[in-house]
Amino acid sequence: MYSRNSRMSFSDNSRRGAFSGEGGGGQKMKVLLLNPPAKRKVVRDYYCSKTSKSSYLFAPIDLLLQSGVLAKDNELLVIDAVAQEMGVKKCLGELKKYHPRIILGLIGAVDLREDLDFYRQLKLSIPSAKIFLTGEPVLEDSEEWLKVNPFIDGILLRFISQGLAQYLAGKAEPEGIVFRDDGEIKFFAPKADKEYSVGRARQELFQFRRYFFSFAKKRRFATILTDFGCPYKCGFCVMSSLGYQRRRLEEVEEELEYLNWLGIKELFVQDQSFGSGGEHSKKVMGLFKKYGFSYTAFVRPDHQEERFWRELKDSGCHTVIVGVESGDDEILRIYNKGYTSAEAYEGIWRAKSAGLRVVATVIIGLPEDSLESIGRTMGFIKRVKPDFVSYNLAVARGLTKLRDKAREEGLISRLEMDQGGSFAGMRTRSLNEKELIELKKKAVRDFYFRMGYIWDRLKGIRSLYDFYALFREGMAVWFKNI
């Protein structure tokens, strides 16, 4: 089914980028998918850019899914300047050599001004190339972004959209895209169908050597998406504004079959609430089991049936990432989380009883947070005893109720934002930015740097790779939080 040429190892595309051009006659348009340079290890992914809190870095799901949409009729080049450790000068040089007609680039709030400056230089370097951007900063007021930044030619509003491919094909009204047309800015809303299709993502183009996932059980892994958005309406999360769509099952199976052929057996499932899709989720789990994948997934802790957690485990899941967010029930209520801290506790207990590792995500710095509420959250996490914790600073992303509140109360202090915690872009009603950073670091130290915890992790080592991953992540966490 697949040609020998498309089977790649890490080393095949780790220098200049990766190419793809499907067969067929005619001249293919050169399209470049770009994750731009950054001075730090930055993750621009799924409208949630951030600095890596340890040493993880993975394929941007935005570009990965668009590779499926665009590969059929175009010649693709993928450059991930973060993974390839390209500076601005080198990246611009590589882009000039390829000289693409179209560039779809990521932009993130974590390095917003640097990203904009890079694309400004890119337009000067290759004025004939049309630059389209996607990312959380440009989801809000997209038309205004084009008015203010003349070097941007268009914005893709959803990375599952066919809009850019339709634009390149000359369709009069492409969906989910904003672009310039003879001095006029045209806006076309994204579709809101229950199901979406992007074709087979070109996973072979996203096997850069420096991709590393903290919770993977194998060195080589792939990111995958089986739905889009989220059916829940958490007030701090941009996903609540994207709607919820499921990916066609036959397309999911095609991608899994291809990954299996590539020899990749480990997955990071990027669905924001895996298991919430009812029968669709069960069928996806059946496909994971059919092809023998092991995986990590985001899962809500309020699944009350123990059978659900056992089915997750049986389908190959070894690690679940659950949103605890806060140990303060009032804060959970305000942001419409849909469950209490007690229910989160019960869900984590069910997951652990099923033999799953649990990663608890926590948000520090919501407007209502105080020294007392953060202390309650830290105490709650110690009682819950997850295997890992991901502490994040609150960020007021566009299209969220949190952003509306933070603007109204004057809590936002800078343009950029980083949930990874390298800096704070907003304060709470009672804590300033410096205090929040220190509280986050203290929370990390108090959880991870305990002899009992370290001993438990050492006892859990089952392979040389487990030891390597634990050591690598442990050192990264240490140096970022001492």
Side-chain angles (χ1 to χ4, degrees):
M1 181 176 178
Y2 301 110
S3 70
R4 229 172 147 186
N5 294 341
S6 61
R7 193 163 187 168
M8 290 186 171
S9 68
F10 274 125
S11 59
D12 293 322
N13 61 352
S14 61
R15 293 186 181 178
R16 288 186 53 192
F19 293 87
S20 175
E22 292 197 349
Q27 185 73 29
K28 301 286 185 180
M29 185 178 293
K30 290 184 175 182
V31 177
L32 184 132
L33 305 179
L34 175 64
N35 187 17
K39 294 176 182 177
R40 303 167 291 175
K41 186 171 282 188
V42 165
V43 178
R44 302 182 186 92
D45 179 76
Y46 212 154
Y47 311 124
C48 292
S49 63
K50 52 190 169 288
T51 56
S52 175
K53 292 190 288 292
S54 52
S55 66
Y56 58 81
L57 187 68
F58 41 83
I61 200 71
D62 326 55
L63 300 183
L64 181 62
L65 265 64
Q66 275 295 298
S67 74
V69 174
L70 296 167
K72 183 177 180 181
D73 298 312
N74 305 285
E75 178 185 291
L76 294 186
L77 170 68
V78 175
I79 291 181
D80 187 335
V82 179
Q84 295 169 262
E85 297 186 337
M86 287 185 185
V88 169
K89 184 177 180 180
K90 183 177 180 181
C91 188
L92 289 174
E94 295 295 337
L95 290 166
K96 286 184 73 173
K97 290 177 188 176
Y98 183 61
H99 210 87
R101 288 276 305 279
I102 300 290
I103 296 167
L104 176 61
L106 296 177
I107 185 168
V110 66
D111 271 342
L112 183 55
R113 278 177 281 206
E114 288 182 17
D115 289 354
L116 287 170
D117 186 57
F118 172 80
Y119 287 116
R120 190 178 292 109
Q121 292 182 62
L122 177 55
K123 191 66 171 182
L124 291 172
S125 183
I126 317 176
S128 62
K130 290 193 174 182
I131 299 174
F132 286 76
L133 300 183
T134 188
E136 78 269 27
V138 294
L139 290 181
E140 191 176 50
D141 301 325
S142 302
E143 293 163 281
E144 186 65 25
W145 274 95
L146 294 188
K147 290 177 185 176
V148 174
N149 299 289
F151 53 91
I152 303 173
D153 295 289
I155 292 168
L156 187 65
L157 298 173
R158 301 289 186 271
F159 61 76
I160 60 168
S161 167
Q162 300 286 325
L164 184 54
Q166 293 170 348
Y167 169 87
L168 298 181
K171 186 173 181 178
E173 296 186 357
E175 61 98 6
I177 195 169
V178 186
F179 60 90
R180 302 180 191 279
D181 184 22
D182 292 330
E184 181 184 356
I185 294 175
K186 294 185 176 181
F187 177 97
F188 297 96
K191 286 184 176 180
D193 299 336
K194 291 182 179 180
E195 202 173 53
Y196 72 91
S197 172
V198 292
R200 176 179 62 78
R202 269 40 186 185
Q203 292 278 359
E204 71 274 14
L205 305 184
F206 293 85
Q207 287 298 301
F208 294 105
R209 187 185 298 276
R210 291 183 181 87
Y211 287 159
F212 175 82
F213 186 51
S214 312
F215 309 118
K217 289 292 188 177
K218 301 177 180 69
R219 180 66 179 89
R220 277 188 90 190
F221 71 98
T223 53
I224 191 170
L225 198 68
T226 76
D227 65 16
F228 176 79
C230 184
Y232 300 95
K233 302 297 179 184
C234 303
F236 52 76
C237 184
V238 68
M239 301 301 158
S240 64
S241 68
L242 302 179
Y244 179 63
Q245 297 169 264
R246 300 178 181 120
R247 192 174 175 188
R248 290 174 58 185
L249 278 169
E250 58 266 33
E251 199 170 276
V252 174
E253 180 161 20
E254 182 185 6
E255 190 162 337
L256 292 176
E257 184 181 3
Y258 186 63
L259 286 168
N260 186 58
W261 183 84
L262 285 175
I264 299 170
K265 304 297 290 185
E266 180 76 22
L267 302 176
F268 174 28
V269 181
Q270 286 259 43
D271 301 27
Q272 295 300 292
S273 55
F274 185 69
S276 299
E279 195 62 30
H280 182 272
S281 298
K282 289 182 179 179
K283 289 178 179 178
V284 170
M285 284 190 273
L287 291 174
F288 290 156
K289 185 175 180 179
K290 174 181 175 180
Y291 290 98
F293 285 98
S294 59
Y295 65 97
T296 298
F298 295 97
V299 181
R300 284 175 63 95
D302 56 345
H303 289 278
Q304 296 185 358
E305 292 184 6
E306 293 182 14
R307 179 181 174 184
F308 167 78
W309 300 99
R310 292 196 301 269
E311 288 176 346
L312 268 179
K313 177 69 174 178
D314 186 56
S315 68
C317 184
H318 54 73
T319 304
V320 291
I321 306 173
V322 301
V324 171
E325 318 308 6
S326 176
D328 189 302
D329 284 339
E330 179 61 15
I331 289 177
L332 294 177
R333 185 195 64 78
I334 289 170
Y335 291 95
N336 198 33
K337 194 61 193 172
Y339 48 79
T340 64
S341 58
E343 289 169 321
Y345 183 100
E346 290 168 4
I348 291 173
W349 180 86
R350 292 188 188 99
K352 292 172 77 71
S353 296
L356 295 162
R357 296 191 306 179
V358 175
V359 185
T361 65
V362 175
I363 300 173
I364 289 177
L366 292 165
E368 297 79 8
D369 256 330
S370 63
L371 198 59
E372 292 73 25
S373 70
I374 294 171
R376 284 194 292 274
T377 298
M378 292 167 63
F380 176 75
I381 288 296
K382 288 179 181 177
R383 292 194 301 276
V384 172
K385 297 181 179 179
D387 298 280
F388 307 94
V389 182
S390 175
Y391 281 105
N392 303 278
L393 285 185
V395 290
R397 300 198 192 280
L399 304 179
T400 65
K401 292 180 180 179
L402 171 58
R403 186 169 183 83
D404 294 340
K405 178 185 290 188
R407 276 175 169 171
E408 184 180 331
E409 298 187 23
L411 301 177
I412 299 172
S413 56
R414 60 186 289 179
L415 185 64
E416 289 84 5
M417 57 188 80
D418 178 25
Q419 71 183 59
S422 64
F423 63 86
M426 62 178 280
R427 60 186 180 276
T428 76
R429 294 165 184 163
S430 59
L431 297 166
N432 63 37
E433 294 85 346
K434 184 177 179 181
E435 290 170 326
L436 290 172
I437 292 171
E438 290 306 313
L439 281 168
K440 176 188 173 294
K441 288 183 176 181
K442 182 179 186 304
V444 172
R445 292 193 302 267
D446 285 357
F447 181 82
Y448 281 107
F449 303 152
R450 296 172 289 139
M451 288 307 299
Y453 175 80
I454 294 170
W455 177 240
D456 285 342
R457 295 276 65 80
L458 291 172
K459 287 191 297 183
I461 291 173
R462 295 293 181 268
S463 67
L464 188 60
Y465 180 73
D466 281 352
F467 176 78
Y468 164 75
L470 183 65
F471 179 79
R472 174 173 171 162
E473 289 294 270
M475 293 304 294
V477 169
W478 170 264
F479 283 113
K480 286 177 181 286
N481 293 282
I482 55 173

